[in-house]
Amino acid sequence: MAQVLYLDCFSGAAGDMLLAALLDAGLPATALEEALGSLGVEHELRVSRVLRAGLSATHFSVVERSSSAQRHHVPSTDPGAAQDHQSTSGAGHRHYHGDDHATLDDIAAAIRRSSLGPAARDRAIALFHRLAEAEAAIHDVPIDRVHLHEVGAVDSIIDIVGAVFAFDWFGIDDVVASPLNVGSGTIRIAHGVFPVPAPATMRLLKDVPIYSSGIEAELVTPTGALLVSGYARAFGAMPSMTPDRIGYGAGTLDLGPSPNVLRVVIGERTARRPETPAASADVIKIECEIDDMSPQLFGPVLDRLLAVGALDAFLAPIQMKKGRPGTLLTVLSPPDRQTALVDVLFRETTTIGVRFTPVTRETLDREWVEVEITGGRVRIKVAGRHGETLNAAPEFDDCLRVAEATGRPLKLVQAEAMRAWAERGATRFR
């Protein structure tokens, strides 16, 4: 059986939480120190045990050696915390300090100097490039003029590069994540006070199922959004698996009765038996027929369902009793999002009842591959099974962005993206 890594983001995700969870699951701190020390970034790592709502978890933080001041990831006090490990890194290279407001080229140069393997270096640089693209789009500036502000600080660079090293160390390509709890309220960033999720976080979570449990805090940071969306091939309920390693990574905030942790579960995938009880189905199909609602409302309803965590939502024309034309609305829901999605249906449509059908499914493994074409970068969604690539398609929004920026026909941009992917010689699915 293949190994799978599940990211349980019931209290959101941040780069330090993810790295702490992977340390808790067995990543050796010494190996992490060695990899990060080769970046030439002045820093000091701190790994400790803390309590979150009575749950023991690993906390990871970064101190800038140059200032001897711990940055915002580290709490001033932490009940139950006991320092386990400290290390100092960054000697022997050109040093970078977090208040330099690093550009993409600055960070890429540091990564290329590091001891990470070639694939890990490429992955880390691609992640930062995606982050810079998000910032460029938000602030309407060219990507080469983007300053990464908070995410260009030393701790964020360490979080992202450290997480890349950690995933590479575990060697697990099959990564699944739950929908992300983003929190609520407002947060102050470099450009002012903004609603949660912050603009960069929101853009990085495009096409990712998110929700808010009502907690007034920033539960998903830009680094967390970048890493989870960059590594997860699928989003939904925990897959059928036999757990082997479990790790808890603590966030800085103590949220009282709600444990502010990110949970990582690593284990072997297990085949689902045909007679599996309906209550543990992979997906819940929710359906209702509607014949008395304005067609203009269906589009916003579908958007809302997807935003709340639906795996898919679609419409089909039907003929109802007495010959009335109607619409069949179908929603595919992870089991843990069923209640929230039903609430959307009752609030946003005219239906007075819905029905449920537990179903199982089989999907191809998926990953994103970025290619460089004339006018920008395009993500290719690649799907495969048992090491064989079976499908590949360029992301439509990426192609549309390049087409609008260059004035070229969209179909030619799509074709060039596929040629660029094919020229990479990617014949096997990782």
Side-chain angles (χ1 to χ4, degrees):
M1 291 290 181
Q3 278 208 315
V4 59
L5 188 154
Y6 185 67
L7 302 172
D8 199 356
C9 307
F10 60 86
S11 192
D16 59 342
M17 293 171 70
L18 177 55
L19 194 46
L22 294 172
L23 284 164
D24 204 43
L27 173 70
T30 53
L32 177 64
E33 293 162 11
E34 183 178 350
L36 294 176
S38 66
L39 281 171
V41 174
E42 292 274 9
H43 70 280
E44 184 177 306
L45 306 184
R46 292 185 178 177
V47 180
S48 59
R49 299 298 300 177
V50 301
L51 291 177
R52 293 289 180 263
L55 177 67
S56 178
T58 292
H59 185 265
F60 175 84
S61 58
V62 180
V63 176
E64 290 185 35
R65 275 177 53 195
S66 58
S67 64
S68 300
Q70 196 166 347
R71 297 185 63 85
H72 64 278
H73 281 306
V74 188
S76 56
T77 59
D78 201 340
Q83 184 170 296
D84 292 334
H85 194 88
Q86 289 192 22
S87 71
T88 302
S89 304
H93 294 278
R94 171 185 174 272
H95 300 306
Y96 163 75
H97 304 297
D99 54 4
D100 291 344
H101 292 291
T103 65
L104 180 61
D105 288 342
D106 295 331
I107 296 173
I111 293 171
R112 291 191 182 98
R113 291 194 304 267
S114 74
S115 63
L116 272 66
R121 287 198 298 267
D122 290 346
R123 188 75 175 257
I125 291 172
L127 285 170
F128 276 105
H129 195 283
R130 181 168 164 242
L131 187 60
E133 283 185 329
E135 292 280 2
I138 290 168
H139 303 302
D140 194 24
V141 298
I143 194 169
D144 59 356
R145 292 179 55 196
V146 168
H147 290 275
L148 296 179
H149 297 292
E150 286 89 350
V151 290
V154 165
D155 51 356
S156 296
I157 293 172
I158 293 298
D159 291 344
I160 294 170
V161 177
V164 171
F165 171 77
F167 276 109
D168 192 56
W169 185 87
F170 279 105
I172 301 173
D173 291 326
D174 189 0
V175 179
V176 180
S178 70
L180 282 82
N181 184 4
V182 297
S184 63
T186 60
I187 183 174
R188 180 176 294 279
I189 60 177
H191 298 278
V193 178
F194 286 80
V196 170
T201 303
M202 192 76 261
R203 189 170 186 90
L204 292 165
L205 291 176
K206 183 178 178 296
D207 298 325
V208 173
I210 62 175
Y211 69 100
S212 173
S213 64
I215 295 175
E216 290 195 13
E218 182 192 35
L219 298 186
V220 179
T221 65
T223 55
L226 178 73
L227 291 166
V228 174
S229 63
Y231 275 93
R233 292 184 178 180
F235 292 86
M238 187 178 296
S240 299
M241 63 187 298
T242 303
D244 176 45
R245 302 187 185 196
I246 302 170
Y248 291 91
T252 298
L253 297 176
D254 191 336
L255 302 177
S258 178
N260 186 22
V261 300
L262 187 152
R263 179 167 62 181
V264 168
V265 183
I266 300 173
E268 299 288 333
R269 273 195 180 269
T270 56
R272 183 174 293 280
R273 296 167 54 193
E275 64 272 20
T276 297
S280 59
D282 289 328
V283 175
I284 305 297
K285 182 167 68 172
I286 309 171
E287 288 186 325
C288 60
E289 295 91 359
I290 300 172
D291 64 358
D292 59 350
M293 190 171 88
S294 168
Q296 294 175 314
L297 299 179
F298 280 109
V301 168
L302 294 183
D303 291 341
R304 178 63 178 155
L305 290 166
L306 294 171
V308 169
L311 299 171
D312 201 358
F314 49 90
L315 308 169
I318 56 174
Q319 195 79 15
M320 299 182 66
K321 60 184 179 182
K322 298 182 181 180
R324 295 197 302 268
T327 301
L328 175 65
L329 173 54
T330 302
V331 183
L332 299 182
S333 166
D336 63 340
R337 302 307 299 153
Q338 178 179 337
T339 300
L341 291 168
V342 169
D343 184 63
V344 171
L345 289 174
F346 282 136
R347 287 176 177 273
E348 304 289 344
T349 77
T350 58
T351 188
I352 58 175
V354 299
R355 60 181 176 273
F356 312 108
T357 306
V359 297
T360 59
R361 61 177 183 161
E362 185 171 352
T363 63
L364 296 178
D365 295 324
R366 283 160 285 181
E367 69 175 355
W368 289 101
V369 176
E370 285 192 330
V371 297
E372 187 77 41
I373 65 171
T374 304
R377 297 176 71 87
V378 173
R379 290 170 294 163
I380 308 293
K381 181 182 285 187
V382 185
R385 187 182 187 191
H386 305 318
E388 181 184 4
T389 297
L390 299 176
N391 292 304
E395 177 67 10
F396 179 82
D397 288 344
D398 291 358
C399 293
L400 181 61
R401 168 178 48 79
V402 172
E404 290 176 343
T406 61
R408 300 164 60 207
L410 177 59
K411 62 183 180 181
L412 296 184
V413 173
Q414 292 175 317
E416 183 181 349
M418 287 304 297
R419 283 197 303 271
W421 174 77
E423 288 169 0
R424 293 173 59 135
T427 58
R428 288 187 60 80
F429 192 82
R430 294 194 302 110

